[in-house]
Amino acid sequence: MAPPGGSQSLKYRLRRAHPLRISSGVTLSRMANADEAELRRYQERRLRAVVAVAARRSPFYRKWFRDNSIEPGAIQTLDDLALLPLITRDDLVERPDDFRVYPASVMWRSHSSGTSGKAVTVYRTPGSSVYELGALERQWGWFGLPRSARRVILRGWAGGTDGAVTQEVPGARQLLVSSYNLTADHLDEIVTAIEDFRPDAIEGWPSSITLLAALLAEHGRRLPVRALITSSEVMSARQRDLMRDVFVGPIVDHYGQTERVALTGNCEAGGHHVFSDYGIVELLPVSGATDRWEIVGTALHNYGFPLLRYRTGDEVGPTPTTPCPCGRPFPQIGSIDGRSEDAFHTLDGRPLPLPATIVDDLVGLREVQIAQLAPGEFEVRVVPGRGYDRVEIAAQIHNNVATYFGAGQQVTIRELESIPRPASGKLKPAVVIGGR
């Protein structure tokens, strides 16, 4: 869920003023114009540094290297990655603090149920966040957006305590728009705020942007911008067509994870690339499938919380075999099966985009899922884990639902030993069960 305006503004200012901002920009520019050999040398240099820090200071890796009698110095090249263990979400669910190198107080903490329903806690350093912002700004630049683009943000903010459905973030060049109040009653207020703000781009979840686009289309209105910045969800062709028709600009899409181990994005020539200077991506064959591979990522900048060979659980199709016309050194990747959730609705019929954000920040759980039994009637299924506090979790769930879905919703909490899987075997964090 999007942080409140004050926290958002503070993090934005820290990233903009960080000492690494300038040097990261130089590196990002150099890597975008490097050849494959130079890019590989950069990856291997960063890999050796991350491994050295992890082996020396991370309790998890220190024990792993010792128990497996492997010298950290043996990890020198990308080919040596196979010597390292594959890390899973279960490792983070059970013992996230064992991965930490720095004190939690000097890093930013994040939670997510991701695409798997397994609630994880991770940390990232401000410096790694600076590099990530730079990598995204580099991609925006391919489409003509300036580094400090003025952006309308549709990414889960629930609205102000005073009932406002828009809020400008001081100093951040961002206008927050509530993803949970995209209704005809608020349309004039939202459109006026956006027009007054004069954005370069609209950024957010495809489901939220599509809801706004549908409202505008129904009222015969358009809001041209220079680009649409999307992430966090798989987009359908219908969503893409509607967004382009109403907002006119091209779609700038990127894929990442709360764990921050890999970053990919499309270019202006139509390719979808792995940003290899951000993280190392391996593709692990999916058992029983000949045309699917799981993304395994190794973060190259988050020294405070090293994740090496982390299994994201996200799958991709075959990699394109023809070079991308853009000519950049970043390899292409196939279509990504990311987050996709059923459509939820409140008691009064309001649509709720990406509803699993309600349970993303819960801690002390091994698994979690929110189910809609009927409009306005929800069941949160939880599998207790280490540090589980029944009273605290219940209070947080009810508060999250009231804040983001609105008052008057019916919520029950159900403790389970495991959450039933569908035939695919992959647990969805949000599902619609049906009416009663």
Side-chain angles (χ1 to χ4, degrees):
M1 290 177 281
S7 173
Q8 181 84 344
S9 180
L10 177 60
K11 287 185 177 182
Y12 186 92
R13 291 172 184 270
L14 285 173
R15 291 194 299 180
R16 293 285 175 188
H18 198 281
L20 293 177
R21 175 80 170 151
I22 295 177
S23 61
S24 293
V26 172
T27 300
L28 284 156
S29 178
R30 189 177 78 250
M31 289 300 103
N33 294 285
D35 58 27
E36 292 183 10
E38 182 182 358
L39 189 54
R40 182 183 177 103
R41 287 194 297 270
Y42 177 82
Q43 287 184 303
E44 292 178 340
R45 185 167 64 251
R46 300 291 304 191
L47 173 63
R48 290 191 290 269
V50 174
V51 168
V53 170
R56 186 169 64 249
R57 301 187 58 182
S58 163
F60 177 88
Y61 289 108
R62 191 165 55 224
K63 181 177 186 299
W64 186 88
F65 276 105
R66 184 179 63 247
D67 291 351
N68 289 276
S69 301
I70 292 180
E71 286 295 324
I75 313 300
Q76 291 290 311
T77 70
L78 300 187
D79 295 333
D80 298 327
L81 276 172
L83 297 174
L84 294 172
L86 287 166
I87 306 301
T88 69
R89 289 183 74 91
D90 288 336
D91 293 312
L92 296 186
V93 169
E94 290 296 329
R95 41 183 174 168
D97 288 335
D98 284 356
F99 287 85
R100 280 196 297 107
V101 166
Y102 301 154
S105 59
V106 302
M107 295 188 289
W108 294 336
R109 183 170 65 173
S110 297
H111 309 287
S112 176
S113 59
T115 59
S116 67
K118 294 185 178 181
V120 299
T121 299
V122 298
Y123 298 84
R124 56 180 173 144
T125 62
S128 67
S129 182
V130 167
Y131 201 89
E132 177 179 89
L133 175 62
L136 293 174
E137 289 176 334
R138 178 179 63 189
Q139 182 196 15
W140 302 348
W142 300 344
F143 293 84
L145 284 178
R147 290 180 71 193
S148 298
R150 295 176 64 81
R151 291 167 288 146
V152 171
I153 308 296
L154 278 159
R155 196 187 292 280
W157 181 64
T161 55
D162 58 354
V165 296
T166 66
Q167 176 183 309
E168 189 166 349
V169 181
R173 301 172 70 83
Q174 295 179 10
L175 177 71
L176 304 183
V177 174
S178 172
S179 295
Y180 303 103
N181 289 283
L182 297 172
T183 63
D185 292 342
H186 294 292
L187 184 60
D188 286 341
E189 178 184 356
I190 291 171
V191 170
T192 298
I194 292 176
E195 290 178 338
D196 290 346
F197 182 68
R198 300 181 67 182
D200 296 302
I202 293 179
E203 176 182 355
W205 301 331
S207 54
S208 290
I209 298 176
T210 302
L211 284 174
L212 177 57
L215 278 172
L216 290 166
E218 288 171 10
H219 290 78
R221 306 175 75 164
R222 301 174 93 195
L223 275 176
V225 292
R226 295 171 67 177
L228 295 157
I229 303 171
T230 59
S231 65
S232 303
E233 294 177 279
V234 175
M235 280 182 286
S236 67
R238 184 192 67 82
Q239 286 178 313
R240 289 177 180 272
D241 291 343
L242 178 60
M243 286 189 285
R244 288 193 186 107
D245 182 57
V246 172
F247 299 114
V248 182
I251 294 174
V252 185
D253 186 53
H254 69 268
Y255 157 82
Q257 327 76 28
T258 298
E259 299 89 338
R260 301 303 202 271
V261 296
L263 187 64
T264 75
N266 66 317
C267 71
E268 75 282 16
H272 195 97
H273 300 269
V274 175
F275 298 153
S276 311
D277 53 339
Y278 178 91
I280 298 168
V281 168
E282 301 172 78
L283 298 180
L284 188 70
V286 174
S287 178
T290 59
D291 60 350
R292 308 302 300 165
W293 293 263
E294 181 182 358
I295 295 176
V296 176
T298 294
L300 293 177
H301 296 272
N302 193 11
Y303 285 12
F305 194 81
L307 289 177
L308 309 172
R309 305 196 75 207
Y310 179 77
R311 297 183 64 170
T312 65
D314 293 329
E315 298 177 6
V316 301
T319 300
T321 56
T322 57
C324 181
C326 77
R328 297 187 182 94
F330 305 125
Q332 294 187 83
I333 193 169
S335 59
I336 300 173
D337 294 339
R339 195 166 188 163
S340 177
E341 297 180 2
D342 295 342
F344 277 30
H345 291 82
T346 61
L347 188 62
D348 59 2
R350 284 183 295 112
L352 298 169
L354 215 59
T357 53
I358 295 301
V359 297
D360 270 353
D361 62 351
L362 303 180
V363 297
L365 303 175
R366 285 191 55 80
E367 297 175 358
V368 62
Q369 181 186 71
I370 182 168
Q372 177 178 283
L373 308 180
E377 185 179 348
F378 309 100
E379 179 179 82
V380 178
R381 292 109 178 241
V382 300
V383 177
R386 190 170 69 175
Y388 175 69
D389 185 316
R390 177 180 289 110
V391 174
E392 183 177 324
I393 287 291
Q396 190 171 359
I397 289 172
H398 285 285
N399 180 68
N400 285 353
V401 170
T403 299
Y404 291 90
F405 289 0
Q409 316 305 317
Q410 181 179 336
V411 185
T412 57
I413 301 170
R414 185 180 173 195
E415 290 184 10
L416 300 169
E417 292 187 1
S418 65
I419 297 175
R421 265 62 170 171
S424 67
K426 189 169 185 177
L427 175 65
K428 293 185 67 173
V431 294
V432 173
I433 302 302
R436 281 185 172 178

